[in-house]
Structures are given as structure tokens and as C-alpha cells.
PDB file of all heavy atoms in Angstrom:
ATOM      1  N   VAL A   6      39.389 216.809   6.220  1.00  0.00           N
ATOM      2  CA  VAL A   6      39.269 218.027   6.928  1.00  0.00           C
ATOM      3  C   VAL A   6      38.241 217.813   8.033  1.00  0.00           C
ATOM      4  O   VAL A   6      37.184 217.289   7.787  1.00  0.00           O
ATOM      5  CB  VAL A   6      38.792 219.183   6.005  1.00  0.00           C
ATOM      6  CG1 VAL A   6      38.552 220.432   6.817  1.00  0.00           C
ATOM      7  CG2 VAL A   6      39.788 219.393   4.923  1.00  0.00           C
ATOM      8  N   VAL A   7      38.625 218.205   9.204  1.00  0.00           N
ATOM      9  CA  VAL A   7      37.703 218.058  10.327  1.00  0.00           C
ATOM     10  C   VAL A   7      37.148 219.447  10.601  1.00  0.00           C
ATOM     11  O   VAL A   7      37.908 220.380  10.835  1.00  0.00           O
ATOM     12  CB  VAL A   7      38.423 217.506  11.580  1.00  0.00           C
ATOM     13  CG1 VAL A   7      37.449 217.454  12.750  1.00  0.00           C
ATOM     14  CG2 VAL A   7      39.006 216.172  11.279  1.00  0.00           C
ATOM     15  N   GLY A   8      35.903 219.606  10.647  1.00  0.00           N
ATOM     16  CA  GLY A   8      35.267 220.850  10.957  1.00  0.00           C
ATOM     17  C   GLY A   8      34.569 220.761  12.285  1.00  0.00           C
ATOM     18  O   GLY A   8      34.031 219.712  12.619  1.00  0.00           O
ATOM     19  N   ILE A   9      34.621 221.824  12.999  1.00  0.00           N
ATOM     20  CA  ILE A   9      33.970 221.818  14.297  1.00  0.00           C
ATOM     21  C   ILE A   9      32.961 222.960  14.286  1.00  0.00           C
ATOM     22  O   ILE A   9      33.331 224.129  14.046  1.00  0.00           O
ATOM     23  CB  ILE A   9      34.958 221.997  15.449  1.00  0.00           C
ATOM     24  CG1 ILE A   9      35.965 220.853  15.425  1.00  0.00           C
ATOM     25  CG2 ILE A   9      34.254 222.104  16.779  1.00  0.00           C
ATOM     26  CD1 ILE A   9      37.045 220.969  16.431  1.00  0.00           C
ATOM     27  N   GLY A  10      31.801 222.687  14.600  1.00  0.00           N
ATOM     28  CA  GLY A  10      30.780 223.720  14.679  1.00  0.00           C
ATOM     29  C   GLY A  10      30.681 224.177  16.131  1.00  0.00           C
ATOM     30  O   GLY A  10      30.681 223.350  17.051  1.00  0.00           O
ATOM     31  N   ILE A  11      30.618 225.444  16.354  1.00  0.00           N
ATOM     32  CA  ILE A  11      30.518 225.955  17.707  1.00  0.00           C
ATOM     33  C   ILE A  11      29.155 226.575  17.882  1.00  0.00           C
ATOM     34  O   ILE A  11      28.713 227.393  17.082  1.00  0.00           O
ATOM     35  CB  ILE A  11      31.623 226.996  17.964  1.00  0.00           C
ATOM     36  CG1 ILE A  11      32.974 226.354  17.771  1.00  0.00           C
ATOM     37  CG2 ILE A  11      31.495 227.602  19.359  1.00  0.00           C
ATOM     38  CD1 ILE A  11      34.120 227.302  17.879  1.00  0.00           C
ATOM     39  N   HIS A  12      28.523 226.135  18.937  1.00  0.00           N
ATOM     40  CA  HIS A  12      27.194 226.670  19.274  1.00  0.00           C
ATOM     41  C   HIS A  12      27.323 228.125  19.608  1.00  0.00           C
ATOM     42  O   HIS A  12      28.291 228.535  20.248  1.00  0.00           O
ATOM     43  CB  HIS A  12      26.625 225.849  20.453  1.00  0.00           C
ATOM     44  CG  HIS A  12      25.184 226.093  20.692  1.00  0.00           C
ATOM     45  ND1 HIS A  12      24.734 227.154  21.438  1.00  0.00           N
ATOM     46  CD2 HIS A  12      24.070 225.431  20.310  1.00  0.00           C
ATOM     47  CE1 HIS A  12      23.414 227.128  21.508  1.00  0.00           C
ATOM     48  NE2 HIS A  12      22.987 226.055  20.815  1.00  0.00           N
ATOM     49  N   PRO A  13      26.402 228.970  19.253  1.00  0.00           N
ATOM     50  CA  PRO A  13      26.475 230.399  19.542  1.00  0.00           C
ATOM     51  C   PRO A  13      26.702 230.713  21.031  1.00  0.00           C
ATOM     52  O   PRO A  13      27.437 231.610  21.370  1.00  0.00           O
ATOM     53  CB  PRO A  13      25.121 230.950  19.102  1.00  0.00           C
ATOM     54  CG  PRO A  13      24.641 229.998  18.080  1.00  0.00           C
ATOM     55  CD  PRO A  13      25.192 228.661  18.445  1.00  0.00           C
ATOM     56  N   LYS A  14      26.111 229.959  21.974  1.00  0.00           N
ATOM     57  CA  LYS A  14      26.345 230.166  23.388  1.00  0.00           C
ATOM     58  C   LYS A  14      27.816 229.889  23.729  1.00  0.00           C
ATOM     59  O   LYS A  14      28.446 230.579  24.458  1.00  0.00           O
ATOM     60  CB  LYS A  14      25.425 229.320  24.237  1.00  0.00           C
ATOM     61  CG  LYS A  14      24.032 229.804  24.350  1.00  0.00           C
ATOM     62  CD  LYS A  14      23.278 228.932  25.310  1.00  0.00           C
ATOM     63  CE  LYS A  14      21.832 229.397  25.437  1.00  0.00           C
ATOM     64  NZ  LYS A  14      21.101 228.552  26.328  1.00  0.00           N
ATOM     65  N   SER A  15      28.342 228.824  23.170  1.00  0.00           N
ATOM     66  CA  SER A  15      29.735 228.452  23.398  1.00  0.00           C
ATOM     67  C   SER A  15      30.677 229.489  22.794  1.00  0.00           C
ATOM     68  O   SER A  15      31.728 229.802  23.371  1.00  0.00           O
ATOM     69  CB  SER A  15      30.045 227.079  22.801  1.00  0.00           C
ATOM     70  OG  SER A  15      29.297 226.073  23.434  1.00  0.00           O
ATOM     71  N   ARG A  16      30.288 230.009  21.649  1.00  0.00           N
ATOM     72  CA  ARG A  16      31.091 231.023  20.989  1.00  0.00           C
ATOM     73  C   ARG A  16      31.220 232.247  21.881  1.00  0.00           C
ATOM     74  O   ARG A  16      32.292 232.840  22.019  1.00  0.00           O
ATOM     75  CB  ARG A  16      30.472 231.405  19.639  1.00  0.00           C
ATOM     76  CG  ARG A  16      31.389 232.274  18.830  1.00  0.00           C
ATOM     77  CD  ARG A  16      30.801 232.649  17.488  1.00  0.00           C
ATOM     78  NE  ARG A  16      30.360 231.474  16.783  1.00  0.00           N
ATOM     79  CZ  ARG A  16      29.523 231.490  15.731  1.00  0.00           C
ATOM     80  NH1 ARG A  16      29.081 232.639  15.299  1.00  0.00           N
ATOM     81  NH2 ARG A  16      29.144 230.402  15.150  1.00  0.00           N
ATOM     82  N   SER A  17      30.152 232.672  22.498  1.00  0.00           N
ATOM     83  CA  SER A  17      30.173 233.825  23.415  1.00  0.00           C
ATOM     84  C   SER A  17      31.084 233.535  24.603  1.00  0.00           C
ATOM     85  O   SER A  17      31.850 234.395  25.031  1.00  0.00           O
ATOM     86  CB  SER A  17      28.766 234.134  23.930  1.00  0.00           C
ATOM     87  OG  SER A  17      27.917 234.480  22.876  1.00  0.00           O
ATOM     88  N   ARG A  18      30.978 232.311  25.113  1.00  0.00           N
ATOM     89  CA  ARG A  18      31.844 231.938  26.212  1.00  0.00           C
ATOM     90  C   ARG A  18      33.311 231.938  25.774  1.00  0.00           C
ATOM     91  O   ARG A  18      34.203 232.371  26.516  1.00  0.00           O
ATOM     92  CB  ARG A  18      31.469 230.564  26.754  1.00  0.00           C
ATOM     93  CG  ARG A  18      30.189 230.601  27.526  1.00  0.00           C
ATOM     94  CD  ARG A  18      29.921 229.214  28.139  1.00  0.00           C
ATOM     95  NE  ARG A  18      28.502 229.137  28.472  1.00  0.00           N
ATOM     96  CZ  ARG A  18      27.745 228.079  28.298  1.00  0.00           C
ATOM     97  NH1 ARG A  18      28.258 226.989  27.768  1.00  0.00           N
ATOM     98  NH2 ARG A  18      26.484 228.076  28.656  1.00  0.00           N
ATOM     99  N   LEU A  19      33.563 231.400  24.613  1.00  0.00           N
ATOM    100  CA  LEU A  19      34.932 231.346  24.087  1.00  0.00           C
ATOM    101  C   LEU A  19      35.488 232.748  23.865  1.00  0.00           C
ATOM    102  O   LEU A  19      36.618 233.056  24.210  1.00  0.00           O
ATOM    103  CB  LEU A  19      34.948 230.539  22.792  1.00  0.00           C
ATOM    104  CG  LEU A  19      36.283 230.156  22.234  1.00  0.00           C
ATOM    105  CD1 LEU A  19      37.088 229.337  23.256  1.00  0.00           C
ATOM    106  CD2 LEU A  19      36.122 229.353  20.984  1.00  0.00           C
ATOM    107  N   ILE A  20      34.661 233.638  23.328  1.00  0.00           N
ATOM    108  CA  ILE A  20      35.086 235.035  23.115  1.00  0.00           C
ATOM    109  C   ILE A  20      35.345 235.687  24.472  1.00  0.00           C
ATOM    110  O   ILE A  20      36.360 236.394  24.641  1.00  0.00           O
ATOM    111  CB  ILE A  20      34.039 235.797  22.287  1.00  0.00           C
ATOM    112  CG1 ILE A  20      34.055 235.282  20.831  1.00  0.00           C
ATOM    113  CG2 ILE A  20      34.304 237.274  22.316  1.00  0.00           C
ATOM    114  CD1 ILE A  20      32.905 235.781  20.002  1.00  0.00           C
ATOM    115  N   ALA A  21      34.460 235.437  25.443  1.00  0.00           N
ATOM    116  CA  ALA A  21      34.626 236.015  26.771  1.00  0.00           C
ATOM    117  C   ALA A  21      35.913 235.463  27.405  1.00  0.00           C
ATOM    118  O   ALA A  21      36.681 236.215  28.034  1.00  0.00           O
ATOM    119  CB  ALA A  21      33.422 235.734  27.648  1.00  0.00           C
ATOM    120  N   ALA A  22      36.168 234.167  27.228  1.00  0.00           N
ATOM    121  CA  ALA A  22      37.379 233.572  27.795  1.00  0.00           C
ATOM    122  C   ALA A  22      38.620 234.140  27.108  1.00  0.00           C
ATOM    123  O   ALA A  22      39.616 234.437  27.765  1.00  0.00           O
ATOM    124  CB  ALA A  22      37.324 232.036  27.629  1.00  0.00           C
ATOM    125  N   ALA A  23      38.552 234.313  25.794  1.00  0.00           N
ATOM    126  CA  ALA A  23      39.677 234.875  25.061  1.00  0.00           C
ATOM    127  C   ALA A  23      39.918 236.321  25.469  1.00  0.00           C
ATOM    128  O   ALA A  23      41.069 236.760  25.656  1.00  0.00           O
ATOM    129  CB  ALA A  23      39.442 234.800  23.550  1.00  0.00           C
ATOM    130  N   LEU A  24      38.832 237.055  25.647  1.00  0.00           N
ATOM    131  CA  LEU A  24      38.941 238.442  26.110  1.00  0.00           C
ATOM    132  C   LEU A  24      39.531 238.487  27.525  1.00  0.00           C
ATOM    133  O   LEU A  24      40.412 239.303  27.823  1.00  0.00           O
ATOM    134  CB  LEU A  24      37.565 239.129  26.048  1.00  0.00           C
ATOM    135  CG  LEU A  24      37.543 240.611  26.365  1.00  0.00           C
ATOM    136  CD1 LEU A  24      38.437 241.399  25.401  1.00  0.00           C
ATOM    137  CD2 LEU A  24      36.100 241.131  26.305  1.00  0.00           C
ATOM    138  N   ALA A  25      39.077 237.601  28.386  1.00  0.00           N
ATOM    139  CA  ALA A  25      39.581 237.563  29.759  1.00  0.00           C
ATOM    140  C   ALA A  25      41.061 237.187  29.751  1.00  0.00           C
ATOM    141  O   ALA A  25      41.863 237.756  30.510  1.00  0.00           O
ATOM    142  CB  ALA A  25      38.789 236.557  30.596  1.00  0.00           C
ATOM    143  N   ALA A  26      41.451 236.240  28.886  1.00  0.00           N
ATOM    144  CA  ALA A  26      42.860 235.829  28.791  1.00  0.00           C
ATOM    145  C   ALA A  26      43.696 237.010  28.272  1.00  0.00           C
ATOM    146  O   ALA A  26      44.816 237.233  28.764  1.00  0.00           O
ATOM    147  CB  ALA A  26      42.976 234.630  27.885  1.00  0.00           C
ATOM    148  N   SER A  27      43.144 237.780  27.322  1.00  0.00           N
ATOM    149  CA  SER A  27      43.868 238.933  26.812  1.00  0.00           C
ATOM    150  C   SER A  27      44.057 239.989  27.869  1.00  0.00           C
ATOM    151  O   SER A  27      45.125 240.588  28.019  1.00  0.00           O
ATOM    152  CB  SER A  27      43.138 239.537  25.607  1.00  0.00           C
ATOM    153  OG  SER A  27      43.084 238.639  24.536  1.00  0.00           O
ATOM    154  N   VAL A  28      42.992 240.256  28.647  1.00  0.00           N
ATOM    155  CA  VAL A  28      43.059 241.248  29.725  1.00  0.00           C
ATOM    156  C   VAL A  28      44.068 240.778  30.763  1.00  0.00           C
ATOM    157  O   VAL A  28      44.884 241.556  31.270  1.00  0.00           O
ATOM    158  CB  VAL A  28      41.662 241.501  30.334  1.00  0.00           C
ATOM    159  CG1 VAL A  28      41.743 242.284  31.638  1.00  0.00           C
ATOM    160  CG2 VAL A  28      40.775 242.221  29.320  1.00  0.00           C
ATOM    161  N   LEU A  29      44.017 239.478  31.107  1.00  0.00           N
ATOM    162  CA  LEU A  29      44.934 238.925  32.078  1.00  0.00           C
ATOM    163  C   LEU A  29      46.375 239.026  31.598  1.00  0.00           C
ATOM    164  O   LEU A  29      47.273 239.430  32.328  1.00  0.00           O
ATOM    165  CB  LEU A  29      44.569 237.450  32.388  1.00  0.00           C
ATOM    166  CG  LEU A  29      45.432 236.770  33.445  1.00  0.00           C
ATOM    167  CD1 LEU A  29      45.329 237.476  34.779  1.00  0.00           C
ATOM    168  CD2 LEU A  29      45.039 235.308  33.565  1.00  0.00           C
ATOM    169  N   ALA A  30      46.612 238.700  30.325  1.00  0.00           N
ATOM    170  CA  ALA A  30      47.952 238.798  29.752  1.00  0.00           C
ATOM    171  C   ALA A  30      48.447 240.251  29.784  1.00  0.00           C
ATOM    172  O   ALA A  30      49.602 240.525  30.118  1.00  0.00           O
ATOM    173  CB  ALA A  30      47.978 238.259  28.320  1.00  0.00           C
ATOM    174  N   ALA A  31      47.554 241.207  29.448  1.00  0.00           N
ATOM    175  CA  ALA A  31      47.936 242.615  29.465  1.00  0.00           C
ATOM    176  C   ALA A  31      48.244 243.038  30.902  1.00  0.00           C
ATOM    177  O   ALA A  31      49.216 243.773  31.163  1.00  0.00           O
ATOM    178  CB  ALA A  31      46.816 243.465  28.891  1.00  0.00           C
ATOM    179  N   ALA A  32      47.457 242.578  31.867  1.00  0.00           N
ATOM    180  CA  ALA A  32      47.688 242.949  33.263  1.00  0.00           C
ATOM    181  C   ALA A  32      49.010 242.344  33.763  1.00  0.00           C
ATOM    182  O   ALA A  32      49.777 242.999  34.465  1.00  0.00           O
ATOM    183  CB  ALA A  32      46.539 242.450  34.129  1.00  0.00           C
ATOM    184  N   VAL A  33      49.250 241.090  33.397  1.00  0.00           N
ATOM    185  CA  VAL A  33      50.524 240.454  33.793  1.00  0.00           C
ATOM    186  C   VAL A  33      51.699 241.185  33.169  1.00  0.00           C
ATOM    187  O   VAL A  33      52.710 241.464  33.840  1.00  0.00           O
ATOM    188  CB  VAL A  33      50.532 238.947  33.411  1.00  0.00           C
ATOM    189  CG1 VAL A  33      51.919 238.365  33.525  1.00  0.00           C
ATOM    190  CG2 VAL A  33      49.562 238.186  34.288  1.00  0.00           C
ATOM    191  N   THR A  34      51.588 241.553  31.882  1.00  0.00           N
ATOM    192  CA  THR A  34      52.663 242.252  31.216  1.00  0.00           C
ATOM    193  C   THR A  34      52.882 243.639  31.842  1.00  0.00           C
ATOM    194  O   THR A  34      54.022 244.025  32.139  1.00  0.00           O
ATOM    195  CB  THR A  34      52.330 242.455  29.713  1.00  0.00           C
ATOM    196  OG1 THR A  34      52.188 241.161  29.142  1.00  0.00           O
ATOM    197  CG2 THR A  34      53.425 243.217  28.980  1.00  0.00           C
ATOM    198  N   ALA A  35      51.799 244.357  32.125  1.00  0.00           N
ATOM    199  CA  ALA A  35      51.913 245.674  32.771  1.00  0.00           C
ATOM    200  C   ALA A  35      52.497 245.508  34.195  1.00  0.00           C
ATOM    201  O   ALA A  35      53.388 246.277  34.590  1.00  0.00           O
ATOM    202  CB  ALA A  35      50.548 246.360  32.850  1.00  0.00           C
ATOM    203  N   GLY A  36      52.049 244.506  34.904  1.00  0.00           N
ATOM    204  CA  GLY A  36      52.575 244.244  36.251  1.00  0.00           C
ATOM    205  C   GLY A  36      54.048 243.884  36.197  1.00  0.00           C
ATOM    206  O   GLY A  36      54.859 244.336  37.029  1.00  0.00           O
ATOM    207  N   ASP A  37      54.380 243.088  35.193  1.00  0.00           N
ATOM    208  CA  ASP A  37      55.788 242.686  35.024  1.00  0.00           C
ATOM    209  C   ASP A  37      56.651 243.918  34.705  1.00  0.00           C
ATOM    210  O   ASP A  37      57.732 244.066  35.265  1.00  0.00           O
ATOM    211  CB  ASP A  37      55.914 241.641  33.906  1.00  0.00           C
ATOM    212  CG  ASP A  37      57.296 241.073  33.783  1.00  0.00           C
ATOM    213  OD1 ASP A  37      57.885 240.743  34.826  1.00  0.00           O
ATOM    214  OD2 ASP A  37      57.800 240.987  32.640  1.00  0.00           O
ATOM    215  N   ARG A  38      56.176 244.761  33.808  1.00  0.00           N
ATOM    216  CA  ARG A  38      56.918 245.985  33.472  1.00  0.00           C
ATOM    217  C   ARG A  38      57.040 246.900  34.685  1.00  0.00           C
ATOM    218  O   ARG A  38      58.099 247.479  34.934  1.00  0.00           O
ATOM    219  CB  ARG A  38      56.253 246.715  32.329  1.00  0.00           C
ATOM    220  CG  ARG A  38      56.462 246.037  31.004  1.00  0.00           C
ATOM    221  CD  ARG A  38      55.922 246.863  29.870  1.00  0.00           C
ATOM    222  NE  ARG A  38      56.076 246.148  28.621  1.00  0.00           N
ATOM    223  CZ  ARG A  38      55.304 246.330  27.577  1.00  0.00           C
ATOM    224  NH1 ARG A  38      54.309 247.202  27.635  1.00  0.00           N
ATOM    225  NH2 ARG A  38      55.516 245.644  26.466  1.00  0.00           N
ATOM    226  N   PHE A  39      55.962 247.035  35.452  1.00  0.00           N
ATOM    227  CA  PHE A  39      56.007 247.870  36.654  1.00  0.00           C
ATOM    228  C   PHE A  39      56.988 247.289  37.659  1.00  0.00           C
ATOM    229  O   PHE A  39      57.804 247.996  38.217  1.00  0.00           O
ATOM    230  CB  PHE A  39      54.573 247.946  37.278  1.00  0.00           C
ATOM    231  CG  PHE A  39      54.574 248.675  38.595  1.00  0.00           C
ATOM    232  CD1 PHE A  39      54.653 250.065  38.609  1.00  0.00           C
ATOM    233  CD2 PHE A  39      54.513 247.983  39.781  1.00  0.00           C
ATOM    234  CE1 PHE A  39      54.654 250.757  39.822  1.00  0.00           C
ATOM    235  CE2 PHE A  39      54.519 248.673  41.002  1.00  0.00           C
ATOM    236  CZ  PHE A  39      54.585 250.027  41.026  1.00  0.00           C
ATOM    237  N   SER A  40      56.910 245.978  37.838  1.00  0.00           N
ATOM    238  CA  SER A  40      57.851 245.309  38.758  1.00  0.00           C
ATOM    239  C   SER A  40      59.288 245.449  38.305  1.00  0.00           C
ATOM    240  O   SER A  40      60.178 245.701  39.116  1.00  0.00           O
ATOM    241  CB  SER A  40      57.518 243.804  38.886  1.00  0.00           C
ATOM    242  OG  SER A  40      56.260 243.642  39.483  1.00  0.00           O
ATOM    243  N   GLU A  41      59.476 245.335  37.014  1.00  0.00           N
ATOM    244  CA  GLU A  41      60.842 245.477  36.453  1.00  0.00           C
ATOM    245  C   GLU A  41      61.339 246.902  36.667  1.00  0.00           C
ATOM    246  O   GLU A  41      62.493 247.109  37.127  1.00  0.00           O
ATOM    247  CB  GLU A  41      60.846 245.153  34.962  1.00  0.00           C
ATOM    248  CG  GLU A  41      62.199 245.247  34.322  1.00  0.00           C
ATOM    249  CD  GLU A  41      62.168 244.897  32.841  1.00  0.00           C
ATOM    250  OE1 GLU A  41      61.216 244.243  32.372  1.00  0.00           O
ATOM    251  OE2 GLU A  41      63.109 245.316  32.146  1.00  0.00           O
ATOM    252  N   ARG A  42      60.509 247.895  36.351  1.00  0.00           N
ATOM    253  CA  ARG A  42      60.928 249.283  36.546  1.00  0.00           C
ATOM    254  C   ARG A  42      61.187 249.571  38.049  1.00  0.00           C
ATOM    255  O   ARG A  42      62.156 250.237  38.379  1.00  0.00           O
ATOM    256  CB  ARG A  42      59.834 250.251  36.049  1.00  0.00           C
ATOM    257  CG  ARG A  42      59.904 250.448  34.580  1.00  0.00           C
ATOM    258  CD  ARG A  42      58.985 251.597  34.137  1.00  0.00           C
ATOM    259  NE  ARG A  42      58.266 251.155  32.965  1.00  0.00           N
ATOM    260  CZ  ARG A  42      56.966 251.013  32.854  1.00  0.00           C
ATOM    261  NH1 ARG A  42      56.188 251.350  33.858  1.00  0.00           N
ATOM    262  NH2 ARG A  42      56.416 250.555  31.771  1.00  0.00           N
ATOM    263  N   ARG A  43      60.337 249.012  38.877  1.00  0.00           N
ATOM    264  CA  ARG A  43      60.532 249.186  40.326  1.00  0.00           C
ATOM    265  C   ARG A  43      61.831 248.533  40.796  1.00  0.00           C
ATOM    266  O   ARG A  43      62.580 249.108  41.587  1.00  0.00           O
ATOM    267  CB  ARG A  43      59.333 248.657  41.100  1.00  0.00           C
ATOM    268  CG  ARG A  43      59.392 248.990  42.533  1.00  0.00           C
ATOM    269  CD  ARG A  43      58.128 248.607  43.207  1.00  0.00           C
ATOM    270  NE  ARG A  43      58.201 249.025  44.601  1.00  0.00           N
ATOM    271  CZ  ARG A  43      57.180 249.164  45.371  1.00  0.00           C
ATOM    272  NH1 ARG A  43      55.958 248.883  44.899  1.00  0.00           N
ATOM    273  NH2 ARG A  43      57.309 249.517  46.614  1.00  0.00           N
ATOM    274  N   ALA A  44      62.095 247.337  40.318  1.00  0.00           N
ATOM    275  CA  ALA A  44      63.325 246.611  40.665  1.00  0.00           C
ATOM    276  C   ALA A  44      64.532 247.387  40.165  1.00  0.00           C
ATOM    277  O   ALA A  44      65.555 247.529  40.890  1.00  0.00           O
ATOM    278  CB  ALA A  44      63.320 245.201  40.112  1.00  0.00           C
ATOM    279  N   VAL A  45      64.493 247.911  38.951  1.00  0.00           N
ATOM    280  CA  VAL A  45      65.587 248.673  38.385  1.00  0.00           C
ATOM    281  C   VAL A  45      65.790 249.960  39.193  1.00  0.00           C
ATOM    282  O   VAL A  45      66.919 250.317  39.553  1.00  0.00           O
ATOM    283  CB  VAL A  45      65.361 248.987  36.891  1.00  0.00           C
ATOM    284  CG1 VAL A  45      66.324 250.049  36.382  1.00  0.00           C
ATOM    285  CG2 VAL A  45      65.475 247.722  36.073  1.00  0.00           C
ATOM    286  N   ALA A  46      64.692 250.611  39.539  1.00  0.00           N
ATOM    287  CA  ALA A  46      64.799 251.850  40.339  1.00  0.00           C
ATOM    288  C   ALA A  46      65.384 251.556  41.706  1.00  0.00           C
ATOM    289  O   ALA A  46      66.228 252.296  42.198  1.00  0.00           O
ATOM    290  CB  ALA A  46      63.432 252.522  40.462  1.00  0.00           C
ATOM    291  N   THR A  47      64.931 250.452  42.347  1.00  0.00           N
ATOM    292  CA  THR A  47      65.437 250.086  43.651  1.00  0.00           C
ATOM    293  C   THR A  47      66.915 249.778  43.589  1.00  0.00           C
ATOM    294  O   THR A  47      67.714 250.224  44.421  1.00  0.00           O
ATOM    295  CB  THR A  47      64.651 248.873  44.193  1.00  0.00           C
ATOM    296  OG1 THR A  47      63.295 249.229  44.347  1.00  0.00           O
ATOM    297  CG2 THR A  47      65.209 248.425  45.544  1.00  0.00           C
ATOM    298  N   GLU A  48      67.320 249.015  42.567  1.00  0.00           N
ATOM    299  CA  GLU A  48      68.742 248.650  42.416  1.00  0.00           C
ATOM    300  C   GLU A  48      69.578 249.876  42.083  1.00  0.00           C
ATOM    301  O   GLU A  48      70.675 250.038  42.592  1.00  0.00           O
ATOM    302  CB  GLU A  48      68.905 247.576  41.326  1.00  0.00           C
ATOM    303  CG  GLU A  48      70.284 247.000  41.224  1.00  0.00           C
ATOM    304  CD  GLU A  48      70.719 246.227  42.446  1.00  0.00           C
ATOM    305  OE1 GLU A  48      69.907 245.901  43.323  1.00  0.00           O
ATOM    306  OE2 GLU A  48      71.918 245.923  42.523  1.00  0.00           O
ATOM    307  N   SER A  49      69.014 250.770  41.275  1.00  0.00           N
ATOM    308  CA  SER A  49      69.716 252.002  40.929  1.00  0.00           C
ATOM    309  C   SER A  49      69.944 252.850  42.186  1.00  0.00           C
ATOM    310  O   SER A  49      71.026 253.391  42.406  1.00  0.00           O
ATOM    311  CB  SER A  49      68.931 252.781  39.896  1.00  0.00           C
ATOM    312  OG  SER A  49      69.562 253.984  39.593  1.00  0.00           O
ATOM    313  N   ASP A  50      68.916 252.945  43.027  1.00  0.00           N
ATOM    314  CA  ASP A  50      69.038 253.701  44.292  1.00  0.00           C
ATOM    315  C   ASP A  50      70.081 253.044  45.199  1.00  0.00           C
ATOM    316  O   ASP A  50      70.878 253.757  45.821  1.00  0.00           O
ATOM    317  CB  ASP A  50      67.698 253.764  45.013  1.00  0.00           C
ATOM    318  CG  ASP A  50      66.691 254.665  44.312  1.00  0.00           C
ATOM    319  OD1 ASP A  50      67.090 255.430  43.414  1.00  0.00           O
ATOM    320  OD2 ASP A  50      65.486 254.594  44.654  1.00  0.00           O
ATOM    321  N   ARG A  51      70.086 251.720  45.276  1.00  0.00           N
ATOM    322  CA  ARG A  51      71.023 251.013  46.114  1.00  0.00           C
ATOM    323  C   ARG A  51      72.451 251.238  45.635  1.00  0.00           C
ATOM    324  O   ARG A  51      73.374 251.512  46.398  1.00  0.00           O
ATOM    325  CB  ARG A  51      70.703 249.492  46.100  1.00  0.00           C
ATOM    326  CG  ARG A  51      71.546 248.704  47.062  1.00  0.00           C
ATOM    327  CD  ARG A  51      71.173 247.204  47.027  1.00  0.00           C
ATOM    328  NE  ARG A  51      71.728 246.564  45.856  1.00  0.00           N
ATOM    329  CZ  ARG A  51      72.989 246.165  45.749  1.00  0.00           C
ATOM    330  NH1 ARG A  51      73.827 246.330  46.715  1.00  0.00           N
ATOM    331  NH2 ARG A  51      73.411 245.567  44.628  1.00  0.00           N
TER     332      ARG A  51
END
């Protein structure tokens, strides 16, 4: 078993990075849904 110890400063950075990645993923998903709805609305109008 390989164990890795994470320094508390690194842990904060890792949590911040994970949080940033989650926010980015949520923004991309929301943007994708908005773009999809907009594309569907545009095509529907056409």
C-alpha cells in the first residue's frame, strides 16, 4: 500500500483547485445548456 501524505498548505491548494474545477465544470455545463437552448430556439424560429 502506498500512502501519500499531503501537507496542509498543499491540501488547501488542492481543495481550492478542486473547487475551481467544480465551478468551471458547472459554468461550462450551464453555458452548454444555455447555448443548446439558444441553438434550439434559433433553429425552431428558423
